[in-house]
Amino acid sequence: MANVTTMSGFLLMVFSNNRELQILHALLFLLIYLLTLAENLLIIAITTLDQHLQTPMYYFLKHLSLLDLSFISVTVPQSIDNSLTGNGYIAHGQCMLQVFFFTALAWVEVAILTVMSYDRYAAICLPLHYEDIMDPRACKRAMIAVWLSGGISGILHTAATFSITFCKAKIIHQFFCDIPQLLKLSCSSDYLGMIGVAAFMTMLAFICFVSIVLSYAHIFSTVLRIPSAKGRSKAFSTCLPHLFVVSFFLSTGIFEFLKPTSDSPTASDIIISIFYTVVPPILNPMIYSLRNEDMKGALRKLLLRGEFTRKKTFLSCG
């Protein structure tokens, strides 16, 4: 225990002490990781090459796919390596990088989902002004702001987390460097920095949440007034998948960070963390691709003919 306390890095919790189960976990995570990479890279390729998909909605979807393959790459490869080697050790610098990228990309996800909700609001509620509101420059400026804000979030969380002194046994009851678990390793009460950062980011997340709720309140109010059943169905088909993604990501993430941390890890803790770290990156492409006729049509063209049409559309944010 003294060695664990004084070592420079940390020990991440393994899923099982049974060697066969460790190998099984590594193989399952590897399969999920490769499938997620393939799905998101395919969406990035389709939305980049097919000229029919050069619209703001697919521009943001492309960035969401880039985010998802980056987000899952922060935690899953390290967990796979730990299971294969049977060693949960992670260096101090690696843990800092993991905290930085995890918090940065988590915020980017919230911000992108907020921008996408506003895009759907403008498309459905303000169709006559949509091209002016979501012009290419506005799209690019929005994404620059989203990624920069993610970097700021990562810097703030990392600086606040690693400014405290770790004096307890450096065992993290998670398969990645989780901030609540890291804070439990501190023997000091110097949490003012972390509390300030958490309060600030929570306020921003709440603003994003309210914006999403208001956007969809206006969207559903407008959709229900559409006289055509086909028109209502088409509007709902593009909005409901996005609303599901928002609800799933925010609900699991909020539950994980608001629930009290436990000194004795349970299987439910790991399952909940998987829900907001591993499931969204693999689920997002399935939701957007399987329910979207344009995406399915572009995928069929790619698979059947191996080429994309070059017909120009009214807008290109790429």
Side-chain angles (χ1 to χ4, degrees), residues 99-108 146-160 179 194 197 200-201 204:
V99 169
F100 169 77
F101 283 110
F102 182 84
T103 53
L105 295 174
W107 172 254
V108 171
V146 164
W147 288 100
L148 284 178
S149 66
I152 294 172
S153 172
I155 291 172
L156 292 176
H157 279 99
T158 305
I179 289 180
M194 193 64 236
V197 171
F200 176 68
M201 297 309 300
L204 293 182

Side-chain angles (χ1 to χ4, degrees), residues 17 26 70 73 80 165 173 182 192 228 249:
N17 293 322
S70 303
S73 296
I80 293 172
T165 303
H173 295 150
L182 283 168
L192 292 180
S228 168
F249 180 77

Side-chain angles (χ1 to χ4, degrees), residues 161-213:
T161 302
F162 289 92
S163 65
I164 62 179
T165 303
F166 302 106
C167 63
K168 297 181 182 179
K170 295 184 177 180
I171 301 175
I172 300 175
H173 295 150
Q174 267 295 358
F175 64 94
F176 65 98
C177 286
D178 188 32
I179 289 180
Q181 292 293 335
L182 283 168
L183 294 179
K184 288 183 66 66
L185 306 181
S186 172
C187 58
S188 67
S189 58
D190 186 20
Y191 293 133
L192 292 180
M194 193 64 236
I195 292 175
V197 171
F200 176 68
M201 297 309 300
T202 299
M203 180 186 67
L204 293 182
F206 180 74
I207 293 174
C208 288
F209 175 74
V210 171
S211 299
I212 292 172
V213 170

Side-chain angles (χ1 to χ4, degrees), residues 109 276 308 313:
E109 177 112 10
Y276 70 88
F308 293 94
T313 53

